[in-house]
Amino acid sequence: MSQSSILRQSLTLIIATAGLVTFLLLDLPLPFLFGPMAGCLVGALLGAPLKGLGQVSVGARTVLGVAIGTSITPALVAKLPTMALSVMLVPVYIVIIALIGVPFFRKVCGFDPITAFYAAMPGGSADMTVLGQEAGANVRQLSLVHVTRLLVIMTVAPILLTQLYGVSLTNPLGAAAADLPLHEMGIMVLVALIGWKGGERIGLFGAAILGPLFLSAVLSLSDVLHTRPPREVLLAAQFLIGTGIGASYAGVTLRELRHTVFSGAAFVLILAALAAIFTEFVTLTGLAPAVEGFLAFAPGGQAEMAMLAIVAGADLGFVVIHHLTRIFIVILGTPLIARFTIQKSTKSESRK
């Protein structure tokens, strides 16, 4: 790597760290993910020569895969029969979002077919940006849409929980590295590396996420792994992923920023209306208590909603299984559905 590239990457890390510190000082949501992205966005608008971190950012994605996979536990699977009817609504929820979201981003916002598809998918912001990037989407548009979605949701959701549901968000968060078994953390490192590189070798789409996800889920269900990655590692992964995404803002314009953020904010209103309908339905039919129903169908990231469930003292298993179902359907189904949908859209437009 040239000295120029190293200097640009170092500058990018400095700018990302400044964004993180700013978010921490202002007590803004998800500072380790959104802080670096916001910092890099400001840097890009000021003309800073940003450069991504290459394989370092890709490697950080493996932590997401392990975190999701280790959430699939025998205890969680055992609870499935008690929440089957509610979980069955998740695919319906996703299909409705896609049927509304893809045409919205394609026809109203003017996104290209690939970007429109991945922008509409209600997966995690990092997951959808990574998968969309590999599929050839406009990364800046895609990340801005999903960041806008999560920022709005993660800002409004705590307010609704405290003001509407009377919940106190005071329960402690997850375990630190010092509290986890060393051998399990070692296994997680191996799972991340083997899943990532093994997935790449066999041509697995989104290998950095899906490879570790599959392996860690198998080991979790086999009673080998009993916990998610430690809090420090998850925060570091968020920082590296946020920095990698933030570096893609290089060259972004204010006009592009206004258009994309407005598009993302408008889509959040659509998602909020759909989430409210599903929440009200599961609550009125007795399929879920009010707080659990709200958290299960709130269109945020799985990790963020799990975090809110923990601090709210909600039934974590109920919330996690709904979001894992959503994430699994979106992550596993999106590449296949995207190829069919995008090809069909492209052929239709070529006839006009």
Side-chain angles (χ1 to χ4, degrees), residues 63-113:
V63 178
L64 285 178
V66 175
I68 296 172
T70 50
S71 297
I72 308 296
T73 64
L76 201 57
V77 173
K79 285 187 176 182
L80 280 176
T82 64
M83 59 184 82
L85 291 177
S86 181
V87 171
M88 287 170 61
L89 293 174
V90 175
V92 179
Y93 182 52
I94 293 171
V95 169
I96 293 174
I97 289 175
L99 289 175
I100 296 174
V102 175
F104 171 78
F105 283 114
R106 187 77 188 102
K107 305 296 183 182
V108 179
C109 304
F111 287 13
D112 65 80

Side-chain angles (χ1 to χ4, degrees), residues 221-266:
L221 291 172
S222 302
D223 203 31
V224 175
L225 290 176
H226 307 91
T227 182
R228 286 183 297 176
R231 182 169 61 241
E232 297 91 339
V233 175
L234 288 168
L235 292 177
Q238 286 184 29
F239 176 80
L240 292 172
I241 291 170
T243 302
I245 294 173
S248 67
Y249 291 142
V252 70
T253 64
L254 278 172
R255 182 177 179 277
E256 180 184 9
L257 180 65
R258 285 196 301 269
H259 173 258
T260 305
V261 169
F262 178 80
S263 300

Side-chain angles (χ1 to χ4, degrees), residues 176-190 224-225 227 230:
D179 299 324
L180 298 181
L182 283 175
H183 73 279
E184 287 208 21
M185 288 192 286
I187 292 172
M188 283 189 270
V189 171
L190 290 176
V224 175
L225 290 176
T227 182

Side-chain angles (χ1 to χ4, degrees), residues 45-232:
L45 290 172
L46 294 176
L50 304 176
K51 184 174 178 59
L53 304 179
Q55 289 295 293
V56 174
S57 288
V58 177
R61 300 168 190 169
T62 64
V63 178
L64 285 178
V66 175
I68 296 172
T70 50
S71 297
I72 308 296
T73 64
L76 201 57
V77 173
K79 285 187 176 182
L80 280 176
T82 64
M83 59 184 82
L85 291 177
S86 181
V87 171
M88 287 170 61
L89 293 174
V90 175
V92 179
Y93 182 52
I94 293 171
V95 169
I96 293 174
I97 289 175
L99 289 175
I100 296 174
V102 175
F104 171 78
F105 283 114
R106 187 77 188 102
K107 305 296 183 182
V108 179
C109 304
F111 287 13
D112 65 80
I114 299 176
T115 305
F117 184 85
Y118 282 94
M121 289 298 99
S125 62
D127 306 332
M128 291 302 96
T129 302
V130 169
L131 292 177
Q133 183 179 36
E134 292 191 9
N138 184 317
V139 177
R140 289 205 296 266
Q141 285 185 327
L142 196 56
S143 59
L144 280 173
V145 165
H146 285 294
V147 166
T148 301
R149 171 173 64 90
L150 288 186
L151 272 174
V152 173
I153 290 169
M154 291 305 295
T155 301
V156 174
I159 297 173
L160 292 177
L161 284 170
T162 55
Q163 301 300 316
L164 183 62
Y165 296 105
V167 174
S168 176
L169 306 178
T170 56
N171 281 10
L173 282 173
D179 299 324
L180 298 181
L182 283 175
H183 73 279
E184 287 208 21
M185 288 192 286
I187 292 172
M188 283 189 270
V189 171
L190 290 176
V191 165
L193 293 174
I194 294 172
W196 171 23
K197 292 304 178 182
E200 284 184 343
R201 183 173 291 275
I202 64 174
L204 179 65
F205 189 87
I209 294 177
L210 295 183
L213 189 157
F214 288 137
L215 286 183
S216 57
V218 169
L219 292 179
S220 177
L221 291 172
S222 302
D223 203 31
V224 175
L225 290 176
H226 307 91
T227 182
R228 286 183 297 176
R231 182 169 61 241
E232 297 91 339

